[in-house]
């Protein structure tokens, strides 16, 4: 259900001293939203009005994106700490929804969050994907484009050559308000891609995540996402999967009603 909502911008300081920005909206039980690569907290704009009537939402700008700060050196462990810091500041049980690389960060942070209640993970990155030579070449080209000052090329390589978004759709994205933010944060894309499967280096840690977990999977998503979701489903002892018919990797944009209804169903039915 859509509703008119008040959005409040806020900040907190992570463990390493980095300022993290987030947006608060809605009322109800606490729900943290963690976006993926090539995005910021506005990635959730379409589903926010559909969830804010039932949940108190905290939409994080991950470090290096949006209004959040950054550190001189990148370490994925800091991403885990950022999510745990936000969760600790809420001081009540929290549910967390992570998309893509954001889902990887949520998995890495889970053991650090004593007030964690439930997880929703939408297509985490592929396990052991760093061994793919084609992918590594794409990352190399992104890093070369950054060195040459061509930040837009980084975003286009990610969207078109890695995620197979059609060029006509990318042209439409160029006209959106979010495009400038994607270009501004282009430097964060290669570093995240080089760390995308770090969450799966120790599978025993994943087996210890006992929070009730929902995996969301697009019915038309790449086979690699389906394979990874099936693997993770077998590792997390209290997990289930929901397939979003006709969707791929960005259902929060392409089917916000369907996406929000699945989130609400899982969280409200398991109260």
């Amino acid at each position: 259900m859509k509703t008119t909502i008040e959005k409040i911008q806020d900040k907190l300081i992570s463990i390493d001293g980095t300022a993290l920005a987030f947006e608060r909206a809605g009322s109800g039980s606490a729900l943290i939203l963690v976006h993926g690569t090539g995005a910021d907290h506005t990635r959730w704009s379409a589903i926010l009005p559909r969830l804010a009537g039932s949940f108190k939402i905290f939409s994080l700008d991950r470090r290096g994106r949006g209004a959040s700060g950054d550190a001189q050196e990148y370490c994925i462990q800091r991403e885990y700490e950022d999510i745990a810091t936000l969760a600790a500041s809420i001081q009540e049980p929290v549910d967390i929804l992570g998309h893509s690389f954001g889902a990887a960060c949520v998995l890495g942070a889970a053991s650090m969050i004593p007030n964690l209640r439930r997880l929703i993970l939408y297509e985490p990155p592929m396990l052991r994907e760093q061994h793919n030579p084609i992918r590594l070449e794409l990352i190399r080209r992104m890093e070369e484009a950054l060195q040459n000052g061509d930040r837009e090329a980084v975003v286009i390589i990610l969207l078109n050559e890695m995620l197979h978004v059609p060029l006509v759709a990318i042209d439409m994205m160029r006209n959106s308000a979010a495009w400038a933010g994607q270009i501004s944060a282009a430097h964060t894309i290669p570093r995240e891609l080089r760390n995308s499967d770090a969450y799966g280096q120790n599978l025993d840690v994943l087996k210890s995540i006992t929070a009730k977990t929902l995996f969301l999977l697009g019915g038309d998503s790449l086979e690699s996402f389906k394979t990874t979701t099936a693997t993770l489903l077998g590792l997390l002892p209290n997990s289930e999967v929901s397939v979003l018919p006709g969707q791929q990797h960005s259902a929060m944009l392409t089917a916000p009603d369907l996406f929000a209804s699945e989130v609400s169903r899982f969280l409200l039915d398991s109260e």
Side-chain angles (χ1 to χ4, degrees), residues 9-23 35 59-71 78-87 89 191:
Q9 308 299 320
D10 209 341
K11 283 194 175 184
L12 77 164
I13 304 300
S14 193
I15 292 173
D16 71 338
T18 299
L20 302 176
F22 62 96
E23 182 179 83
H35 64 80
S59 306
L60 177 67
D61 276 338
R62 288 195 296 101
R63 58 176 54 217
R65 299 182 175 278
S68 287
D70 206 352
R78 304 292 84 76
E79 298 259 23
Y80 304 163
E81 293 169 357
D82 294 347
I83 297 170
T85 298
L86 178 55
S89 74
R191 75 187 192 187

Side-chain angles (χ1 to χ4, degrees), residues 32-35 62 79-80 83 95-113 116 118-121 199 206 209:
I32 296 174
L33 305 182
V34 185
H35 64 80
R62 288 195 296 101
E79 298 259 23
Y80 304 163
I83 297 170
D95 301 320
I96 308 180
L97 163 59
H99 172 232
S100 195
F101 185 77
C105 294
V106 170
L107 282 166
S111 64
M112 306 165 64
I113 304 175
L116 175 63
R118 293 163 297 197
L119 296 174
I120 302 178
L121 304 170
Y199 73 96
L206 298 182
I209 298 174

Side-chain angles (χ1 to χ4, degrees), residues 141-161:
R141 286 175 51 208
M142 290 180 188
E143 291 169 340
E144 183 177 62
L146 279 177
Q147 291 174 356
N148 294 332
D150 191 353
R151 303 176 72 86
E152 184 172 81
V154 178
V155 177
I156 293 173
I157 291 170
L158 170 71
L159 294 175
N160 180 245
E161 299 187 53

Side-chain angles (χ1 to χ4, degrees), residues 1 7 13 43 46 71 77 108 116 118 124-125 133 138 150 187-188 192 209 215 219 228 232 238 240 242 251 256 271:
M1 179 181 68
K7 302 176 184 178
I13 304 300
R43 175 54 52 91
Q77 186 70 21
L116 175 63
R118 293 163 297 197
L138 292 177
D150 191 353
H187 63 284
T188 67
E192 292 177 11
I209 298 174
F215 286 97
T228 296
L232 293 172
N238 193 17
E240 62 187 77
S242 178
E271 287 284 0

